[in-house]
Amino acid sequence: MQQSGKGGRHGWRFWAALGTLAVAGAAAAASPSRPAAAPHWRDGLAIQIWAYNDALKNKDAPSPVPKIDVPSALSRIKAMGVDQVEVMHVPGYSAAQMRTALDKAGMRAVSVQMDYDRMRDDLPGAIAAAKALGVSQVGISAIKIFGPQGYHLLNTADTEEAGEVLAKACASAQAAGMRTFLHIHGNDLHMLDGKTALDRIIDKAGGCFDIEADIYWIRSAGVDPVAFINKYGAKVTSLHLKDWKPAQGTALPFPPLGKGDLNLPAIMKAAQAAGVRHYIIEDESGDPDTQLPQSLTYLASIGK
């Protein structure tokens, strides 16, 4: 979903400035309400409909507002043999309208990403929207990626606030029969007085939320995705699957799975050992009809 601040949902053109960031600290214990068993990755396979954001096609000036023809996107994903998606807010589509489009397409939303600002400022509305969609989990897409000076690494005050926001979100989501997650974007993996920003958020929230590990942005922050998954273990309940290549100037390449530098077989092995439930392909290339089938073919070639 769209992240508040200039640069759009991921602000992807600004991430080339990321340096190598360290991960340290222990993972907090999982909530007792976590499902006991994880499905095979094929059963947990989904596609993030952000892939069909027409704004991604304009690499020079990406719009911060997603422009998605939802029925068309769902139809094209369904034609690839995938009937599960992760969704986010699309202007012009209420949660009820999105649910109607999903039902008409014979598809299911397993997860929804929300703006941090909405989860902080309109938690009842965010939870009601997630409930209307019928998802099992609702999460924050990113925390304060951009500040007045551009790309923003979280500071201690940010982590305190975020932990409080997530603690409240966990309680509200659990009361509605859902779990809460944080999508990892890399501006939360640097050290703050001996702990990563992420670990500070986990501590402040009492370890209540799950992690959606975006392996592209984790690697962009200089962290090995396998080490990250192994560290946080059962807290990692979702993956955003993308391959990775180094930035080319200000442009970030988004190759299909198997065409980048990530050790995807090792990542999938670690994820399945950790009990990951949702394997969500997120294609940000601007050419999903070409790249998504390539990614699906690659996954099938390495899947067990």
Side-chain angles (χ1 to χ4, degrees):
M1 62 175 292
Q2 178 188 345
Q3 170 65 19
S4 300
K6 73 177 180 179
R9 175 171 177 266
H10 296 304
W12 52 272
R13 293 195 62 195
F14 295 86
W15 283 76
L18 268 177
T20 299
L21 305 174
V23 170
S31 165
S33 63
R34 181 186 310 283
H40 189 278
W41 71 262
R42 288 189 183 89
D43 298 321
L45 184 65
I47 290 175
Q48 165 59 263
I49 67 167
W50 177 260
Y52 283 94
N53 177 12
D54 284 344
L56 292 174
K57 296 177 181 178
N58 186 352
K59 299 301 185 184
D60 293 325
S63 169
V65 180
K67 301 175 182 178
I68 300 175
D69 180 338
V70 172
S72 175
L74 295 177
S75 174
R76 288 145 86 178
I77 292 169
K78 180 82 169 181
M80 296 175 196
V82 178
D83 59 9
Q84 297 185 138
V85 292
E86 182 178 62
V87 298
M88 73 298 175
H89 173 64
V90 177
Y93 267 82
S94 67
Q97 289 171 318
M98 182 70 77
R99 179 64 181 269
T100 297
L102 287 161
D103 290 346
K104 187 174 181 179
M107 300 181 73
R108 181 169 78 99
V110 296
S111 178
V112 60
Q113 289 188 345
M114 299 282 184
D115 278 352
Y116 177 72
D117 290 353
R118 185 177 189 191
M119 293 286 273
R120 181 189 61 196
D121 302 335
D122 181 26
L123 182 58
I127 296 301
K131 188 71 173 177
L133 288 165
V135 298
S136 61
Q137 61 176 24
V138 53
I140 293 173
S141 60
I143 301 170
K144 298 184 178 181
I145 291 180
F146 295 102
Q149 279 72 50
Y151 174 73
H152 176 69
L153 291 175
L154 299 181
N155 57 40
T156 300
D158 296 329
T159 65
E160 291 287 308
E161 180 188 272
E164 293 174 357
V165 169
L166 278 156
K168 293 175 183 177
C170 286
S172 294
Q174 186 167 11
M178 296 177 289
R179 293 192 60 81
T180 303
F181 68 88
L182 174 63
H183 175 267
I184 303 304
H185 253 294
N187 71 327
D188 40 21
L189 297 181
H190 57 290
M191 301 298 292
L192 288 172
D193 297 326
K195 286 186 176 182
T196 64
L198 174 58
D199 286 334
R200 288 186 171 278
I201 296 168
I202 290 171
D203 289 348
K204 184 67 175 180
C208 71
F209 63 89
D210 299 328
I211 289 173
E212 184 170 72
D214 189 311
I215 60 177
Y216 183 99
W217 298 118
I218 289 169
R219 177 61 186 85
S220 292
V223 177
D224 175 12
V226 172
F228 181 94
I229 294 167
N230 288 341
K231 174 188 172 180
Y232 289 100
K235 283 193 72 64
V236 182
T237 58
S238 303
L239 289 189
H240 264 195
L241 287 170
K242 309 171 190 170
D243 216 328
W244 178 91
K245 280 185 174 293
Q248 301 172 350
T250 60
L252 298 183
F254 290 99
L257 297 177
K259 298 296 184 181
D261 296 343
L262 293 183
N263 186 345
L264 290 166
I267 290 170
M268 294 294 286
K269 182 178 179 180
Q272 291 180 82
V276 167
R277 301 184 63 79
H278 303 295
Y279 296 80
I280 302 166
I281 302 175
E282 184 178 46
D283 187 285
E284 299 193 61
S285 68
D287 187 16
D289 286 331
T290 298
Q291 289 210 170
L292 283 172
Q294 294 175 5
S295 291
L296 290 167
T297 297
Y298 176 76
L299 277 182
S301 75
I302 64 169
K304 302 294 184 183

